[in-house]
Amino acid sequence: MFVCQGNICRSPLAQALFEHLLQRRGVTARYKVDSTGVSSYHVGESADRRMRETAARHGITVNHRARAVTQRDLAQYDLILAMDRDNYAILQRKAQNQQQRSRIRMFRDFDPVANGAIDVPDPWYGGMNGFQNVYEIVERTCEALLDQLEGDSIS
Ligand code: 4NP
């Protein structure tokens, strides 16, 4: 499960990209993919138009309704990936035991060219360049994540 703040930009993109990669590799049935937000401010909304348009230019359809993370999510998902440190801190506070806390990781831990960057930048207040930047980070990181999950650490 991918988690950002509003569940309208970064995490729904990650979900759509990861699902696309699963299909391309023929391993869809092995995964349950989801995305949520730590905030409930945008619950019920479709993904941000700027994010949808950026993804569409790359042939990716983002079709998701925002929802807020629940205790059930934290109990259910094996790997919970936070888009930035704020999201991570909130998730860690919500988690109810050590097992749940250990399943929460930073998404960019899997970025092969993070160069020390920790956060996927929040594109909400920026221009379209920010959305393209987010797209590139999320695309390469989802590829590397799936490589690792499928046991191929050479990406
Ligand atoms: P996201 O982007 O966390 O990637 O969905 C944001 C969306 C909305 C807000 C912040 C970030 N907001 O402040 O409303």
Side-chain angles (χ1 to χ4, degrees):
M1 179 174 69
F2 303 100
V3 185
C4 61
Q5 182 177 336
N7 192 215
I8 55 171
C9 298
R10 295 165 291 178
S11 65
L13 174 71
Q15 177 178 359
L17 267 168
F18 196 78
E19 285 173 343
H20 176 80
L21 294 174
L22 292 179
Q23 261 184 6
R24 211 170 66 190
R25 297 196 198 187
V27 293
T28 299
R30 283 198 227 164
Y31 296 85
K32 179 169 162 59
V33 191
D34 205 347
S35 69
T36 59
V38 293
S39 139
S40 53
Y41 194 74
H42 295 279
V43 164
E45 294 179 20
S46 32
D48 185 281
R49 184 181 48 78
R50 298 164 294 179
M51 195 76 265
R52 284 187 281 119
E53 285 177 1
T54 302
R57 279 203 297 278
H58 297 270
I60 300 294
T61 303
V62 180
N63 183 14
H64 181 74
R65 291 279 169 185
R67 70 180 186 86
V69 65
T70 64
Q71 287 299 334
R72 189 159 180 265
D73 293 322
L74 297 176
Q76 172 178 208
Y77 285 103
D78 299 317
L79 186 55
I80 296 168
L81 294 172
M83 289 289 159
D84 65 34
R85 281 167 278 191
D86 287 345
N87 310 152
Y88 180 87
I90 292 168
L91 289 168
Q92 287 290 344
R93 279 202 299 277
K94 285 183 189 284
Q96 293 193 315
N97 56 52
Q98 183 50 38
Q99 188 194 34
Q100 288 184 9
R101 282 188 288 275
S102 71
R103 293 167 169 171
I104 302 166
R105 302 271 306 273
M106 291 296 294
F107 178 74
R108 274 196 106 168
D109 281 357
F110 296 90
D111 183 350
V113 290
N115 281 322
I118 293 168
D119 300 325
V120 179
D122 178 350
W124 179 249
Y125 290 110
M128 282 306 273
N129 282 351
F131 285 86
Q132 176 61 27
N133 183 42
V134 164
Y135 185 89
E136 288 167 17
I137 295 168
V138 171
E139 181 184 47
R140 68 175 183 246
T141 303
C142 279
E143 286 263 18
L145 170 65
L146 184 53
D147 286 343
Q148 195 161 322
L149 292 172
E150 290 291 313
D152 168 15
S153 58
I154 305 155
S155 56

